[in-house]
């Protein structure tokens, strides 16, 4: 992949000397699709993870994190920098893997790796403690594949963190109806998110697989 037309985006991380730096195809000329740009919901999720790390409520030492639809990788790479003893697996479609690998190299993220994962067909041998999804429900044709892949890859103790910018409420309700078949979830209140990097149009949810006790 030729990165000459790509531009850099930097996200400052509290208590770290260097920001997270990713290349993005803001012009769309590289033909990688919308996943090759930084989305606001990803920034909100990254900063929520930063806030949890700073206040001591998030410790991912020796834990594995799987990011679905990682795009530029900015969320997972931010977490890799904040939680250096964790293992971060950045996944997306095949055409975005070169960009993810390049951004891993840019940040010297030795605890991160890129892996192809198609929501329609693929699974993974990764057993994640945490799954990250940012703006994975912006189009209605993604709802069923996302619900399906979460059902395939989440374990009984996996924590799912999903952030999205609201666009068409009726469509988003349909996704949550699909997700609720196998998961329970709740929203993260604005007061519990990053004090600055949050938005009334961006929501963060936490979900877990439903218990099978008594089934």
């Amino acid at each position: 992949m030729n990165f000459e037309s790509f531009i850099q985006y930097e996200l400052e991380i509290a208590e770290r000397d260097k920001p997270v730096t990713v290349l993005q195809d803001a012009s769309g000329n590289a033909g990688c699709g919308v996943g090759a740009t930084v989305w606001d919901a990803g920034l909100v999720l990254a900063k929520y993870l930063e806030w949890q790390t700073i206040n001591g409520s998030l410790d991912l030492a020796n834990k594995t994190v799987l990011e679905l639809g990682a795009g530029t990788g900015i969320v997972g790479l931010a977490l890799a920098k904040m939680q250096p003893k964790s293992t971060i697996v950045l996944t997306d479609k095949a055409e975005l893997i070169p960009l993810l690998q390049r951004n891993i190299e840019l940040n010297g993220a030795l605890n991160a790796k890129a892996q192809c994962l198609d929501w329609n067909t693929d699974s993974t041998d990764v057993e994640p403690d945490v799954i990250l999804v940012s703006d994975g429900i912006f189009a209605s044709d993604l709802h069923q594949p996302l619900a399906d892949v979460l059902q395939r890859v989440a374990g009984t103790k996996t924590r799912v963190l999903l952030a999205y910018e609201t666009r068409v409420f009726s469509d988003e309700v349909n996704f949550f109806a699909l997700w609720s078949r196998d998961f329970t979830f709740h929203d993260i209140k604005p007061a519990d998110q990053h004090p600055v990097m949050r938005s009334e149009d961006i929501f963060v949810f936490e979900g877990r697989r439903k218990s099978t006790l008594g089934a």
Side-chain angles (χ1 to χ4, degrees):
M1 180 178 288
N2 188 336
F3 296 108
E4 289 185 2
S5 64
F6 284 60
I7 61 173
Q8 285 194 354
Y9 184 95
E10 293 186 348
L11 178 65
E12 297 291 338
I13 301 296
E15 302 178 357
R16 297 294 183 270
D17 294 336
K18 296 181 179 179
V20 173
T21 302
V22 297
L23 295 178
Q24 65 168 338
D25 179 28
S27 67
N29 293 331
C32 296
V34 295
T37 59
V38 174
W39 291 43
D40 289 345
L43 301 179
V44 169
L45 182 55
K47 283 296 185 176
Y48 170 63
L49 295 167
E50 176 195 90
W51 188 242
Q52 283 206 312
T53 299
I54 291 172
N55 66 30
S57 60
L58 183 65
D59 182 2
L60 295 176
N62 303 313
K63 303 292 186 182
T64 299
V65 178
L66 180 70
E67 184 174 6
L68 297 175
T72 64
I74 194 165
V75 180
L77 290 171
L79 188 59
K81 187 179 288 287
M82 293 182 275
Q83 300 275 344
K85 294 182 179 180
S86 65
T87 298
I88 312 295
V89 183
L90 308 174
T91 71
D92 214 309
K93 297 178 293 184
E95 56 264 35
L96 284 163
I97 299 304
L99 176 59
L100 284 171
Q101 291 172 332
R102 178 60 177 144
N103 285 336
I104 288 171
E105 295 168 1
L106 275 177
N107 290 276
L110 300 180
N111 59 331
K113 62 181 179 180
Q115 183 179 100
C116 181
L117 198 159
D118 186 311
W119 294 359
N120 289 292
T121 58
D122 294 344
S123 189
T124 176
D125 57 0
V126 174
E127 298 180 359
D129 298 284
V130 177
I131 294 174
L132 305 176
V133 187
S134 58
D135 248 336
I137 63 171
F138 71 92
S140 59
D141 60 353
L142 296 175
H143 295 175
Q144 188 68 62
L146 178 55
D148 289 346
V149 75
L150 286 171
Q151 196 280 332
R152 291 198 302 272
V153 303
T156 57
K157 297 182 179 180
T158 303
R159 178 188 184 196
V160 180
L161 291 172
L162 181 148
Y164 71 96
E165 183 173 356
T166 186
R167 294 175 176 86
V168 182
F169 179 75
S170 58
D171 285 351
E172 293 150 8
V173 168
N174 289 336
F175 166 75
F176 284 103
L178 293 171
W179 196 23
S180 68
R181 294 175 183 174
D182 297 296
F183 291 80
T184 60
F185 47 82
H186 63 89
D187 64 313
I188 306 297
K189 302 301 183 186
D192 296 321
Q193 297 179 37
H194 190 276
V196 176
M197 186 67 78
R198 61 190 184 196
S199 169
E200 62 182 12
D201 296 322
I202 295 175
F203 298 90
V204 182
F205 278 76
E206 177 176 343
R208 294 182 187 269
R209 184 181 289 279
K210 289 181 178 178
S211 172
T212 56
L213 292 177

